[in-house]
Amino acid sequence: MSGRMSRRAFLGTGVGVTAGAAGLAFAGATVLKPAEAGQLLRSRIPLPEPYQMPLPIPQVLKPVSTDATTDYYEIVQQTASLQILPGVRTTAWTYGGTFPGPTLVSRSGRRTVVRHQNQLPRPVVVHLHGGHTPHDSDGYPGDEILPIGYTGSMAGMAGMAGMPVMPGTPVTGSRTYTYPLDQRAATLWYHDHRMGFTGPNIWRGMAGFHLVHDDEELALPLPKGDRDLPLMITDRSFAADGSLQYPSLDQRLLHLPGVTSGYMNGVLGDVVLVNGAPWPAHPVDGLHYRLRLLNASNARRYRLALDPPPPGGNGLIQIGADGGLLAAPLTHDSIDIAPAERFDVVVDFARYRPGTQVRLVNLLGSATTREVMRFDVSGTARTSDDATVPARLSVISPLDPTRAAVTRTFLFQNTEGGWAINGQEYDPAKPLARPKLGDTEIWRFVTDFHHPIHVHLAHFQVIARNGKAPGPYDHGWKDTLDLRPAESAEIVTRFTGYPGRFVFHCHNLEHEDMAMMADFITE
Ligand code: C2O
Ligand code: CU
Ligand code: CU
C-alpha cells in the first residue's frame, strides 16, 4: 500500500488472527494448521429444521434479442426482499431480483452480450468466473458500474484510505459485457467483483450460474433437462431481524474494505443455502441426475458426501471440473470443494431403494453446517433411464510442462492485518506477471494457510502437489485451485487470445478484499 495509509494502520492489530498462520512457511516447514478457513459468525435468529424447503431452481434468463452470431441479455441489479428463512424477510442485493440470479445458458462459440444496469446503492463490477473473456468485459475491479449520481468512485481516485489507485474505466448506470465464449462446455458463474467489497456484495446475493454447452457435451447421453441441476452452495449468517449479517469494517460499504479482525481468516455462516434456500429437499426418481456443484461461499470449504452412501459406495461420479468435462469419469465417496470450485457429478438414484432419503452432507461441518440438502427418492421404482455416464467423455490434451517458457512462484501469506502475494498487498501499479500470449507457463503456488487460488482468463491443469502427483480433486481443466496449509502446488497453463490487464487472487473473499490479489498483464 505504498504511498497510502497502510491497511494495518486502520485494520487494527489483527492479533490472534495472524497467529494462526504466522510467518513465512514454504512447503515442508512446520506450521499451525487451522482446521477451518475462517471464523463462524453465528446467526441471532432461531434457525429452521433442515429439509423443510423445496430446492429452488433459478430461472433461465431469456435473451431480449438474438441475431446470427449473438444473444443479448439484460440484467437489472437491484435490492430485493426475499423470503429465505420462514417468517422473516431478508433484503438481498440481486441480479434481477432473485438469489441466485437468473441462469444464463450459452452455446460455445456464440457470443453472449449482457447489459447490466446498476440500481444498487453502491458500485458494482461483474465477472464471469471461468470465462475466457477480453479484458474490457472481464470485470476488472477498476471497471465499475456506478449508481446514477454516485460520487464515491474508487477508480482513478488517489488517496482513498487503504485503497490502491485503480486503473480502470468506471461507467455510470450500466455496462455491456461481451463474452465470446470461445471455450468448452462448462459450469461457469457470474458474480460481483467490486474492488475491496466483493465479499459483502456476494454475501448479499450477487451470484448466478452461466452454463455453456457445446456439441460434444450435448451429444453425450448425460442427464438433461430437469435432471441437470445447478446447485449453488453458500453459507450465510442472519441477524435477529432476518437480515444478512456480515462483519464489514465499514457497514455502509463506502470506503473501508475488509472485515473486523476476528474474521480476517474468512467469514463462515451457520446456515447452508442451496440455490438460496436453507437445507432444501428435492424429489428425485430412481434415475441418473447431473449435479453441477458450485461452492459460492465466501470462505467455507466443504467435503460433500451422500448419506447414506449407495451400496458399494462411489456414489459421486465426477464428469467435469471448473473448465468442463473430464476425459473419463472419476468416482468419489466424497468431494472436497473450496470456494469458487465446480464439480459436475452424476448420481444414479436407482442405486437406492425407492423411498430412501439421501442427504448431501458436509463432512467438514458440524451441527447445522454438516447438513447441506436432501434428495428424496420417489417410492416407485423406475426401469427405463435414457441417461448414462459414458466411459469416454471428452479429449483433454495435456499441456506439456517441459515446454514451459517460465516458472513463476507465488507465495500466499498473511501480513500484519491483511493478506499478500509474494509479500505484496494488492497493488495494480505492480503487476506480478507479464505472460506472453501463447506461451506455456508453470505457476507454483505456496502457502501456510487455506487459499482457493483463482486465475482469470486461462484455465489450467494441476501437475503436482508437494512435488507429488495431483490430488483426487485436481483432475481436468481448472480455474481455481484448493491450496491447503503447508502446501505447494504446480499448475501448467497457457494464456491465449486477449492481451491486457487481468487479476489472479485468493477466492476466499475476505482474503481477496484484504489485498490477496495481483494483476498480471498478457501481451
Ligand atoms: Cu470468481 Cu476473480 O473471481
Ligand atoms: Cu474468475
Ligand atoms: Cu486466501
Side-chain angles (χ1 to χ4, degrees):
M1 308 273 97
S2 52
R4 290 173 299 275
M5 200 207 306
S6 98
R7 261 161 217 279
R8 93 186 49 135
F10 60 80
L11 293 182
T13 64
V15 176
V17 178
T18 50
L24 263 180
F26 289 94
T30 307
V31 292
L32 295 169
K33 292 183 184 173
E36 287 199 295
Q39 180 65 38
L40 184 67
L41 175 58
R42 241 173 244 297
S43 291
R44 294 162 202 271
I45 187 171
L47 300 179
E49 289 294 305
Y51 314 126
Q52 306 302 302
M53 302 286 293
L55 172 74
I57 307 292
Q59 288 290 319
V60 172
L61 193 63
K62 291 194 179 58
V64 290
S65 67
T66 145
D67 61 30
T69 56
T70 310
D71 301 317
Y72 301 87
Y73 296 88
E74 302 259 358
I75 292 178
V76 179
Q77 302 190 20
Q78 56 193 273
T79 59
S81 169
L82 306 180
Q83 164 111 50
I84 298 176
L85 300 179
V88 288
R89 309 294 297 184
T90 301
T91 300
W93 285 13
T94 70
Y95 294 109
T98 61
F99 170 59
T103 298
L104 281 91
V105 179
S106 295
R107 202 55 188 260
S108 171
R110 237 187 108 68
R111 199 180 317 133
T112 293
V113 173
V114 189
R115 182 167 161 265
H116 277 271
Q117 247 189 78
N118 181 10
Q119 293 184 0
L120 291 165
R122 292 290 175 270
V124 298
V125 173
V126 185
H127 172 56
L128 175 59
H129 183 121
H132 186 232
T133 306
H135 159 83
D136 56 357
S137 285
D138 192 51
Y140 182 77
D143 291 339
E144 302 163 313
I145 315 172
L146 307 176
I148 290 167
Y150 189 80
T151 52
S153 169
M154 305 287 172
M157 280 186 73
M160 190 73 80
M163 296 292 279
V165 178
M166 290 302 294
T169 323
V171 297
T172 296
S174 72
R175 181 187 289 273
T176 299
Y177 296 84
T178 298
Y179 303 115
L181 294 176
D182 232 326
Q183 57 187 100
R184 312 171 73 226
T187 302
L188 312 183
W189 62 300
Y190 62 98
H191 62 73
D192 189 73
H193 220 300
R194 179 186 168 196
M195 179 63 216
F197 296 94
T198 297
N201 282 6
I202 294 182
W203 187 266
R204 290 172 183 212
M206 301 182 71
F209 280 100
H210 191 149
L211 311 181
V212 181
H213 294 299
D214 64 12
D215 295 342
E216 176 190 52
E217 180 219 21
L218 289 171
L220 294 173
L222 295 169
K224 294 185 174 67
D226 59 6
R227 287 194 280 136
D228 177 353
L229 298 173
L231 300 176
M232 179 189 288
I233 303 172
T234 56
D235 62 335
R236 292 292 185 267
S237 180
F238 293 85
D241 62 359
S243 61
L244 289 158
Q245 54 177 1
Y246 184 85
S248 288
L249 282 170
D250 177 358
Q251 285 290 339
R252 299 165 309 157
L253 307 188
L254 277 172
H255 304 309
L256 201 59
V259 289
T260 56
S261 63
Y263 293 92
M264 211 185 85
N265 283 357
V267 180
L268 305 176
D270 53 4
V271 177
V272 179
L273 306 176
V274 182
N275 294 347
W279 309 285
H282 188 66
V284 294
D285 289 316
L287 300 168
H288 288 90
Y289 282 72
R290 177 175 183 173
L291 313 179
R292 299 175 184 257
L293 303 168
L294 158 64
N295 181 359
S297 306
N298 282 37
R300 185 178 290 281
R301 296 170 74 249
Y302 301 79
R303 178 166 295 157
L304 299 174
L306 298 170
D307 187 2
N314 279 331
L316 300 168
I317 308 169
Q318 187 190 351
I319 57 167
D322 305 337
L325 292 170
L326 302 179
L330 272 174
T331 55
H332 304 280
D333 285 316
S334 63
I335 288 180
D336 286 10
I337 183 168
E341 285 191 300
R342 284 88 71 213
F343 287 86
D344 274 12
V345 302
V346 171
V347 173
D348 182 6
F349 289 104
R351 298 180 66 192
Y352 290 99
R353 280 225 312 278
T356 310
Q357 295 181 323
V358 185
R359 288 148 60 235
L360 183 69
V361 294
N362 168 26
L363 301 178
L364 297 179
S366 57
T368 60
T369 59
R370 203 175 165 85
E371 309 296 323
V372 177
M373 69 170 291
R374 197 177 71 192
F375 298 97
D376 297 336
V377 184
S378 72
T380 43
R382 295 289 292 254
T383 45
S384 77
D385 188 349
D386 52 352
T388 56
V389 180
R392 305 299 316 167
L393 295 164
S394 183
V395 176
I396 297 204
S397 334
L399 293 175
D400 182 358
T402 67
R403 309 226 350 230
V406 59
T407 297
R408 306 180 195 270
T409 299
F410 300 107
L411 174 66
F412 290 74
Q413 61 176 149
N414 69 315
T415 59
E416 286 175 60
W419 296 93
I421 306 175
N422 287 356
Q424 178 181 308
E425 295 184 354
Y426 181 55
D427 186 351
K430 296 181 193 142
L432 286 186
R434 290 180 180 271
K436 276 185 55 196
L437 288 173
D439 274 2
T440 298
E441 300 205 353
I442 294 173
W443 285 23
R444 179 187 297 126
F445 302 131
V446 184
T447 193
D448 53 4
F449 194 71
H450 287 283
H451 299 294
I453 293 161
H454 171 51
V455 184
H456 285 217
L457 184 65
H459 290 165
F460 53 76
Q461 296 169 353
V462 184
I463 50 176
R465 270 194 195 260
N466 294 329
K468 302 199 193 77
Y473 315 113
D474 291 336
H475 293 270
W477 285 103
K478 299 278 297 166
D479 59 42
T480 306
L481 176 110
D482 179 21
L483 195 64
R484 290 163 305 189
E487 272 195 336
S488 96
E490 284 176 23
I491 61 156
V492 60
T493 189
R494 224 161 64 87
F495 296 93
T496 59
Y498 308 115
R501 185 183 283 271
F502 296 89
V503 291
F504 70 106
H505 57 88
C506 179
H507 220 289
N508 175 316
L509 301 179
E510 284 70 47
H511 300 187
E512 175 184 344
D513 282 346
M514 294 173 87
M516 192 168 256
M517 180 157 74
D519 283 7
F520 66 92
I521 296 176
T522 54
E523 45 202 12

